[in-house]
Amino acid sequence: MKIKLICSLLLTLLLFSGCKDNKEEVTTKQTTEEIPKNSYLDFSERDDQSTGGIKMIPITTPAGNFKVWTKRVGNNPKIKVLLLHGGPGLTHELFECFDGFFPQEGIEYIYYDQLGSYYSDQPNDNRLWTNERFVEEVEQVRKALKLDNTNFYLMGQSWGGILAMEYALKYQKTSKVLSLPI
């Protein structure tokens, strides 16, 4: 009986000795290696400091002027991901799970409710529901947030993926990467 117990303990020790707690952070040169940890949440140089990253961006449409809601999280001059939600008419809330992943990688990301969605203005005009108009809206948002081809990444889900593809086809030189999750 003692031999079985000793053998079991040795086997357990042998199995667990190969396991180690790998706490090394895997980062890319574009994210946390070049961005000091204390500057990721530094909003002191941004115009949305007093609102916690929230900005209502004015847009111009064939039916008049409206505002769309955005919220920036983090501070990374090299990676800024604009999140395009599904719908049209859904909200940014699907992407809130990114709060558990993007910050630890030092990725700045921007929630965005398209016109007619959640926190954005919700005009009652069917002329506004066209792919072309939404593409122009994304371009106005990009310009207002000062995103360019050195830092601008698009990520779209469902309808947001279609919108991202349409945008990338028209404005090929404005973004670095287009990501389309299912």
Side-chain angles (χ1 to χ4, degrees), residues 15 18 40 54-55 72 74 88 113 137 142:
L15 287 173
Y40 180 74
I54 295 172
K55 186 185 281 188
R72 291 172 61 174
D113 282 339
E137 178 182 319
R142 181 195 68 79

Side-chain angles (χ1 to χ4, degrees), residues 151-170:
N151 61 16
F152 179 39
Y153 295 76
L154 263 178
M155 184 169 198
Q157 185 273 330
S158 188
W159 150 253
I162 293 169
L163 180 56
M165 286 187 289
E166 293 276 344
Y167 178 87
L169 287 171
K170 183 165 184 181

Side-chain angles (χ1 to χ4, degrees), residues 69-136:
W69 179 91
T70 63
K71 180 178 180 178
R72 291 172 61 174
V73 178
N75 188 14
N76 184 332
K78 295 188 179 210
I79 299 177
K80 299 173 186 287
V81 181
L82 182 62
L83 304 170
L84 302 179
H85 62 72
L90 295 180
T91 76
H92 71 277
E93 294 172 308
L94 173 72
F95 292 119
E96 288 180 352
C97 62
F98 289 5
D99 290 344
F101 303 100
F102 279 5
Q104 67 190 12
E105 297 301 326
I107 297 171
E108 179 178 329
Y109 54 108
I110 303 142
Y111 295 121
Y112 158 44
D113 282 339
Q114 301 150 21
L115 189 63
S117 302
Y118 207 29
Y119 292 132
S120 293
D121 288 345
Q122 299 185 13
N124 188 14
D125 190 334
N126 290 337
R127 294 177 299 157
L128 298 175
W129 294 89
T130 68
N131 288 7
E132 295 80 13
R133 201 226 35 93
F134 277 105
V135 166
E136 293 309 311

Side-chain angles (χ1 to χ4, degrees), residues 2-12:
K2 278 187 172 182
I3 294 177
K4 283 185 178 180
L5 181 61
I6 292 172
C7 286
S8 295
L9 286 173
L10 286 174
L11 182 60
T12 303

Side-chain angles (χ1 to χ4, degrees), residues 8-76:
S8 295
L9 286 173
L10 286 174
L11 182 60
T12 303
L13 284 173
L14 180 64
L15 287 173
F16 286 108
S17 67
C19 298
K20 65 177 183 177
D21 192 12
N22 187 359
K23 292 191 178 190
E24 295 176 19
E25 289 188 33
V26 178
T27 60
T28 65
K29 286 185 179 180
Q30 291 183 332
T31 57
T32 55
E33 286 179 7
E34 294 178 7
I35 308 300
K37 291 279 187 197
N38 60 351
S39 70
Y40 180 74
L41 294 175
D42 181 7
F43 287 74
S44 63
E45 300 296 320
R46 293 192 357 200
D47 60 355
D48 56 5
Q49 176 184 12
S50 64
T51 60
I54 295 172
K55 186 185 281 188
M56 294 299 288
I57 296 177
I59 59 162
T60 303
T61 74
N65 297 327
F66 300 98
K67 291 185 179 178
V68 294
W69 179 91
T70 63
K71 180 178 180 178
R72 291 172 61 174
V73 178
N75 188 14
N76 184 332

